[in-house]
């Protein structure tokens, strides 16, 4: 290991180690929680969700992109419904807010936290982010269980 040359550098290294350890623990909790969903098929509303799906053995059949700056138009919602039906996915993972309009996809609609938090002192955002990640995992588990009677199958 490299020895820090300053106290500030030593502090940064410790903060990094703490953050690394916290995320390893959180990833383990999420992995355990989503284990029953392994191989579960879903449609995602944002391409950024792929890292999460890959990390926890979920299969994204399709990613539906809509304009991030505006609410989806009626045409976009119709396209999402058609794409989701065509994919045969059990779950449609979307951001919170538009769940009602997507009910006719045939998939269980799962509203997820977008995990975007404003900058601040850091601590509140860290715990909020951790809670949101766990909440997203719990929502996905419930969606897969609700769809099939058991997760992943």
């Amino acid at each position: 290991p490299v020895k820090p040359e300053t106290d500030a550098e030593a502090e940064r290294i410790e903060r990094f180690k703490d953050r690394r350890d916290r995320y390893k623990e959180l990833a383990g909790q999420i992995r355990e929680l989503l284990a029953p969903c392994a191989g579960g098929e879903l449609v995602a509303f944002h391409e950024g969700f792929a890292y999460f799906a890959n990390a926890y053995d979920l299969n994204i059949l399709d990613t539906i992109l809509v304009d991030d700056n505006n609410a989806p138009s009626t045409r976009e919602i119709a396209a999402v419904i058609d794409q989701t039906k065509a994919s045969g996915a059990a779950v449609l993972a979307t951001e919170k807010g538009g769940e009602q309009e997507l009910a006719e996809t045939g998939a269980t609609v799962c509203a997820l936290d977008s995990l975007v938090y404003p900058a601040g002192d850091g601590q509140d955002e860290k715990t909020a982010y951790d809670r949101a990640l766990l909440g997203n995992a719990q929502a996905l588990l419930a969606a897969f269980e609700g769809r099939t009677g058991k997760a992943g199958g």
Side-chain angles (χ1 to χ4, degrees), residues 32-33 46 71 75-76 82 95 118 123-124:
E32 186 177 322
L33 188 65
H46 193 281
R75 179 178 286 175
E76 287 173 318
D82 291 345
E95 289 183 338
Q123 191 55 46
D124 289 339

Side-chain angles (χ1 to χ4, degrees), residues 43-47 62-66 76 79-81 83-84 92:
V43 170
F45 225 86
H46 193 281
E47 59 195 3
D62 200 357
T63 300
I64 300 168
L65 303 175
V66 295
E76 287 173 318
V80 168
I81 292 168
Q83 282 179 267
T84 304
L92 170 62

Side-chain angles (χ1 to χ4, degrees), residues 66-152:
V66 295
D67 181 357
D68 286 338
N69 298 321
N70 299 301
S73 68
T74 303
R75 179 178 286 175
E76 287 173 318
I77 291 170
V80 168
I81 292 168
D82 291 345
Q83 282 179 267
T84 304
K85 284 180 178 178
S87 76
V91 172
L92 170 62
T94 184
E95 289 183 338
K96 292 181 178 180
E99 306 91 301
Q100 265 45 4
E101 300 151 326
L102 300 172
E104 57 185 281
T105 61
T108 299
V109 179
C110 179
L112 303 176
D113 191 304
S114 62
L115 304 174
V116 178
Y117 296 93
D121 67 10
Q123 191 55 46
D124 289 339
E125 290 81 13
K126 288 176 191 172
T127 56
Y129 185 84
D130 292 0
R131 281 192 312 270
L133 270 177
L134 279 172
N136 284 350
Q138 291 165 339
L140 283 164
L141 176 63
F144 279 110
E145 286 177 337
R147 174 64 179 194
T148 62
K150 65 182 183 72

